[in-house]
Amino acid sequence: MNSKATVDIVCRVCESKNRIPVERALKDLSAVICGKCKVGMLRVNGEPLLDVEDRVLAHKWDVEALEKLKSIPLLDTVLSKIMGSTLDQITRFRHLSEAVKVSDRQAPRLWKLYLEAAGRINVDPPPLYIVQNPGMNAYTAGASEPIVAVTSGLLEAMDDRAICGVLGHELTHVRLGHVLYRQLAIMLAQGALKALSFLGLANLAFKPLQVALFRWYQMSELSADRGELITTGNLETYIRTHMMLAGGGHRWSSELDVGAFVEQAHEAEDMRSENILVALMEMLTDSNRTHPAVVWRVHHGLKWAQSQEFFDALAGAPPKLLTA
């Protein structure tokens, strides 16, 4: 991180302009105070964010990869054959019959975190389920009527603020319209090619479709990570969450060091950028999986957290500018 980097933040109360050192601000975003009126300038206390636009959350690589994906011939045919109301009904029934549906009566603390995350992302929250699984995971599923699910393993391992961030991550997928294409990618990864052949689509060039889908799926994670950062307004929570996903657990959580993990993320990115063989092998591996490397996501999340765009999203525009 450039220790001399600064951002400009306009106070929403007195409208004075403040130049803030990025490194100092990221240590505690709640402590970023206006030099004139002494109020906190960043919205990091769980209040709804109604003015953060899609273009801020959507990473440019996500947008570019989705455009390439949509340009593939017959993709709409594939979607119409295997998606739609039938998939939504199957998804809903499977979770109703095998998981716990969260509400103000069922796991109310988790429901409160979910509503907070939905307010931060500014999206109507779809049904939320707890899935019995020791692994740490959360996902969106369905097509036009998505659901969000979180595993019991993740709830056991992470604290409330990390869970809130993870829920914000999933809700960003919902807000940006990712769910339909992500569902198709998951089905392909799980061997749905047989189902597609049964539907009479065996002559389609599935490999280019799969490569494009997985490439976009990975890029969509960068957008959802932005939503995760916005949800908690805490960089350390974001990094620690991904460190836990990479190799943490409840027993060892107190011994995991955020700074060391950031150094690891930068080291991995340096290897990728400086070693042609490593970059080539990574590219070949990436073409056959959905999720990108966790440390790679941390590198790019940290990069965005240092940007003017990130601070603008948390600061919001002063009331007079909003009504002008």
Side-chain angles (χ1 to χ4, degrees), residues 157-178:
M158 296 189 180
D159 63 26
D160 285 6
R161 299 320 301 163
I163 292 168
C164 189
V166 168
L167 294 173
H169 177 105
E170 297 305 326
L171 287 167
T172 303
H173 286 310
V174 174
R175 172 171 167 174
L176 296 180
H178 289 165

Side-chain angles (χ1 to χ4, degrees), residues 100-112:
V100 174
K101 187 176 182 181
V102 182
S103 68
D104 57 353
R105 294 173 53 204
Q106 193 74 280
R109 192 176 80 193
L110 179 59
W111 182 247
K112 183 178 180 180

